[in-house]
Amino acid sequence: MSRLVLNGIVALIRQAQALASSIGIPNILQPGLVKEMIIAEILGHEVIYTKHDSDARDPEDPNVLFEYLSCLEGGTGQLDRVFNRPEAKRRASIQRIRRNRKVYLAIFFKKEPLKVKVIYELDPETVAKETEAKLDRSSNEISHVGFSEPWAKVNGKVVYSTS
């Protein structure tokens, strides 16, 4: 690998962080944030960059929240750290889904991992019910609950596609 290329990449990341800092985003490399920014740009949403909130909101009404799941082609978009038990933590985990107006699953191209192939819009109640069904089948106290593109095709609708 060329040191010149690596230095250029680091310089661009530093420039991106400086731009992000200028609008209050403290860590551009926070896991998932760049993809959330890409999804929000496509859907016309305002990204929420704090870690434990929804991923985006309606720019006209900040009380309208959205959750984003994303993956590469053939993968699954995951809700991380969903509690199965104790019951109070399980309810709080499910509320993380239900607090949103919509949930979106964005599929990114494998060969172009910052380019969106398709975005599915999902009803939070449908996602919450599927999450509960998966938790009921799991013996784990904490799970990562995945949603595939075939599941989204059946249970959601396409709101963006490049094909």
Side-chain angles (χ1 to χ4, degrees):
M1 272 189 265
S2 164
R3 182 172 289 293
L4 187 61
V5 171
L6 292 175
N7 290 346
I9 292 168
V10 171
L12 289 170
I13 292 169
R14 287 184 174 135
Q15 183 180 1
Q17 182 58 61
L19 284 170
S21 293
S22 75
I23 60 169
I25 299 174
N27 180 10
I28 194 74
L29 297 179
Q30 175 181 309
L33 183 58
V34 172
K35 286 189 175 180
E36 291 166 5
M37 294 168 76
I38 292 167
I39 298 165
E41 179 183 47
I42 290 169
L43 297 176
H45 298 159
E46 182 179 305
V47 73
I48 300 172
Y49 53 83
T50 50
K51 196 168 170 84
H52 298 291
D53 290 315
S54 293
D55 295 322
R57 62 180 155 235
D58 185 316
E60 304 298 318
D61 183 352
N63 295 312
V64 176
L65 303 173
F66 306 107
E67 185 69 24
Y68 297 157
L69 307 175
S70 66
C71 63
L72 297 177
E73 296 170 289
T76 58
Q78 291 191 338
L79 288 168
D80 292 342
R81 297 193 48 79
V82 180
F83 282 83
N84 197 1
R85 53 188 183 279
E87 186 59 34
K89 286 189 174 186
R90 179 174 170 143
R91 280 193 308 273
S93 291
I94 299 302
Q95 182 54 31
R96 280 178 34 212
I97 301 166
R98 289 187 170 130
R99 69 185 173 189
N100 300 288
R101 173 76 49 88
K102 295 292 179 185
V103 176
Y104 294 92
L105 173 61
I107 311 296
F108 286 79
F109 287 100
K110 274 186 184 177
K111 291 186 177 179
E112 296 180 76
L114 295 181
K115 183 177 177 185
V116 175
K117 176 183 174 184
V118 62
I119 299 175
Y120 294 91
E121 181 182 87
L122 303 161
D123 178 66
E125 193 56 37
T126 302
V127 175
K129 285 179 181 174
E130 181 67 10
T131 300
E132 295 215 76
K134 289 181 178 198
L135 290 175
D136 288 344
R137 293 189 299 268
S138 174
S139 61
N140 297 335
E141 186 174 322
I142 303 172
S143 295
H144 299 302
V145 180
F147 298 90
S148 67
E149 184 172 6
W151 183 87
K153 280 181 182 178
V154 170
N155 293 283
K157 68 177 185 178
V158 173
V159 293
Y160 174 83
S161 177
T162 56
S163 51

